[in-house]
Amino acid sequence: MRVMKSFGKLMMLAVVVCSAMITSCSEDIDESNLYTFTGETIEDYLLNRSDEFSDFNYVLQRTGYDKILSAYGTYTCFAPTNEAMEKYINDLYEDMSNAELPHNGMTQRGLEGLTDSLCRDIALFHLLYSEILGVDLGNGMTMNTMLGRDINSSIDSITGAVVLNSSALITSMDNELENGVLHVVDNVITRSNNLISGEMEKHKEFSIFYQALTMTGLADSLSEKARTDIQMPTKVGTGKGSGKIYTPEDCIVGYTIFAESDEVLKEHGINDINDLIAYANNAYEKCADPSNGWYDYYRNHNIKVSTDNDYLKSNNALNMFVRYHILKYIVPFSKMVYSYNETSRVPLYEYYETMLPYTLFKIIRSNGKVYINRWVTNNTLTDRVAEMASTSISTVMKEGITPARDNIQALNGYIHPISDLLVYADYVPRGVLNERMRFDDLSLLPEIMSNKLRLMQPSEVRALLGQASGTAFGGNGNMRLPRNYSKHLVVYNGDNTEIYYLPGQDCNWPNYQGDELLCMGAYDFAFRLPPVPDGTYELRMGYTANGNRGMVQFYLGRNASLTSMKALDIPLDMRKVPVDNPDGSPDVNSGTGWCLYTKTDDMGVESDANMHNMGWMRGTLYYTRGKGGSLLARADVQDLRRIITKMQFEQGEYWLRFKTVLPDNTSTEFHLDYIELCPENIYNNSQYVEDMF
């Protein structure tokens, strides 16, 4: 009877409604829509083993989720045993740490003393909208629960068992049932209700870093949990298809701190806060010097680094040291870099903007290891021709800093212990970031990552819609972004700009990481570009051409105001798809000069140069069409890069505006896949050439 899973989540709308309820959830479920299974559902499994799971099932019944787990769907349930529940509830009652809420609000010891809100939190934190099997859990992953909070899996170093949030071992895995899978856990999965600063305070291994966080005033500033100013669309969009489109109504905001433990600091002779202050002063004192400083934003704006004891100032060296450790994104370990359709020959990478103004650091995963600011000389350059895969000119100058796999989770973010001192040193802008930098479209919007939307699985989106399939744009589970959803995206003409995010995780699309940003309507909007060190760069846009696209005019401004925007080049007609000529000759109709590189004698080297001179580039060797695909983006006729401009960039703020030149044709699409910023010494190197990856 496992075939019933193919019906998906017909009852998910009820879940969404119920999740907003506390005391009367069970009264709002239409029981006439519930399916009577001949095999065991998740709820049947719990009921039939009441000697082991009656306490957890009591919590489900209090919230009405026992009925959900008796219905159609494909769920994951992490079921704590009665022994685990008894211990957890007793600990809740004994907890007197919150003077304003003694016993965590419990009215008495035992199950009956749980409040409705506690029951709801326990139930929803142990349930997922999709089916996750043990093979995935064992690889280490981050899962979004029905509560909207994360669970992270890892392998226990002693037993080899899968452990969730470092607290609950799975003792019985992959109990596959009619409407999902159930895993038995030996403890209630823990979650922290502390804000990120409060959570760090609890971890005494970070006592020196926490003292710096407090002295700089940054501990108090990391308190935001959500934004309430997002603007929902007021009119139906022009999205294709008859299915529903998910529009998030909430916008979570959070942080990630990469922190050195006291032990790591002591390895560098830093034994107390005074030693750390001295280290920060030495590390940052000269970074903004007019002659040889490397922090271009401060240098260009004549901002002097302060080494006095006013640590609240943003230009104070200790304050700067701490800020470079903090991201305004929620980033668990498993999502520091994203894996989807990359080829096997490349490391995975992401660039993150820190809270030190207009600075980035790079995270890569290579050979199973994760590094922050690993510096490799001549990265994205090569001395070879065919497929450009040489490593002979590359030397590892800085090994990089490794974050621990353990996720220390707070209510509004994560804390990651790191292995070495993290500093915006001179080798970061001059070495680590001196390469072609590629940014997936959604990496430009921190809120997308904090709200777990980036590369969301189709089943998760459809679950939020209460349907099994049939969403627009190919039935892959898509979403429409509200206006003002991200601080890094500005819409100039209200609902006339319809912005959709298509995760594309079950589609065979020729997109980097599989996903894309798609806009429709008479669109006019702008992205905030990632900040890069001073230099001359090519600004490029990756996209896929097809007949459904429209024409777009690019503008660039130093801020988001329309008065700041200046037009760049002529409009781009995204409808023109190059022709793959049988003889391998360049296509002339599209104006790109594209040809299939494998049909040329030099693997496309000469035609690459000709395309580049006309403002075009092929797709890359980095990824394939679809997950595990055989068609490389470089060989895909639809996969193109447009060089938008070549210009001098200063480290600071830039906004890229996209405006349709076909405002009367609101059914055309604008597609953005990724942005590249490539420094001149890469695309115009006198000794080597830019690689094809």
Side-chain angles (χ1 to χ4, degrees), residues 574-606:
M574 305 175 78
R575 299 169 296 186
K576 292 184 177 181
V577 181
V579 175
D580 179 10
N581 291 321
D583 61 356
S585 61
D587 173 58
V588 295
N589 294 324
S590 66
T592 64
W594 191 94
C595 63
L596 185 58
Y597 74 99
T598 55
K599 293 180 179 179
T600 65
D601 294 335
D602 60 359
M603 297 300 287
V605 172
E606 182 179 354

Side-chain angles (χ1 to χ4, degrees), residues 41-220:
T41 65
I42 293 174
E43 174 59 15
D44 291 333
Y45 186 94
L46 298 172
L47 279 173
N48 294 338
R49 295 158 184 80
S50 59
D51 57 331
E52 190 175 3
F53 301 110
S54 59
D55 286 2
F56 181 60
N57 206 35
Y58 168 87
V59 168
L60 294 174
Q61 291 167 347
R62 280 272 299 268
T63 59
Y65 278 86
D66 60 324
K67 294 182 175 62
I68 298 298
L69 298 180
S70 300
Y72 275 136
T74 308
Y75 312 106
T76 297
C77 175
F78 298 107
T81 63
N82 288 344
E83 183 180 357
M85 287 288 293
E86 182 179 353
K87 180 182 182 301
Y88 178 77
I89 292 169
N90 187 63
D91 290 345
L92 277 181
Y93 187 79
E94 293 292 337
D95 181 14
M96 298 294 290
S97 60
N98 187 345
E100 297 180 2
L101 196 66
H103 306 297
N104 288 288
M106 290 183 63
T107 57
Q108 64 183 67
R109 191 185 299 274
L111 278 170
E112 290 74 14
L114 291 172
T115 62
D116 291 331
S117 60
L118 282 171
C119 285
R120 176 184 178 274
D121 286 359
I122 295 169
L124 270 63
F125 195 57
H126 288 74
L127 301 175
L128 311 180
Y129 286 127
S130 57
E131 183 180 80
I132 305 295
L133 297 175
V135 64
D136 298 311
L137 293 168
N139 292 328
M141 64 183 305
T142 300
M143 298 156 282
N144 186 22
T145 68
M146 290 188 185
L147 187 62
R149 301 280 303 277
D150 288 347
I151 292 176
N152 294 279
S153 70
S154 58
I155 298 296
D156 182 73
S157 58
I158 298 175
T159 66
V162 175
V163 62
L164 305 175
N165 280 9
S166 303
S167 62
L169 286 175
I170 296 181
T171 59
S172 176
M173 187 178 288
D174 289 348
N175 297 284
E176 295 191 65
L177 303 164
E178 289 282 1
N179 59 346
V181 62
L182 181 144
H183 307 286
V184 180
V185 291
D186 69 346
N187 280 295
V188 172
I189 306 170
T190 58
R191 65 192 183 282
S192 172
N193 289 319
N194 295 314
L195 296 176
I196 196 165
S197 300
E199 186 64 25
M200 175 169 275
E201 184 180 17
K202 286 176 51 182
H203 288 263
K204 301 306 179 185
E205 66 270 28
F206 300 114
S207 65
I208 299 174
F209 190 95
Y210 178 72
Q211 194 172 352
L213 191 70
T214 303
M215 291 171 62
T216 56
L218 292 167
D220 295 332

Side-chain angles (χ1 to χ4, degrees), residues 208-243:
I208 299 174
F209 190 95
Y210 178 72
Q211 194 172 352
L213 191 70
T214 303
M215 291 171 62
T216 56
L218 292 167
D220 295 332
S221 69
L222 306 181
S223 59
E224 194 173 7
K225 294 180 293 183
R227 286 189 23 237
T228 58
D229 59 342
I230 64 173
Q231 299 171 317
M232 299 297 290
T234 57
K235 70 177 184 180
V236 177
T238 55
K240 297 179 181 179
S242 58

Side-chain angles (χ1 to χ4, degrees), residues 353-398:
E353 185 173 355
T354 81
M355 288 185 67
L356 181 64
Y358 304 110
T359 62
L360 300 172
F361 66 59
K362 180 183 180 183
I363 297 184
I364 72 166
R365 188 170 80 210
S366 180
N367 298 321
K369 296 182 179 179
V370 176
Y371 303 94
I372 303 172
N373 283 347
R374 182 179 178 87
W375 174 24
V376 179
T377 60
N378 296 316
N379 202 31
T380 67
L381 287 169
T382 186
D383 59 352
R384 287 189 183 177
V385 176
E387 296 216 350
M388 309 288 184
S390 172
T391 58
S392 61
I393 63 172
S394 300
T395 303
V396 178
M397 302 297 292
K398 295 284 185 180

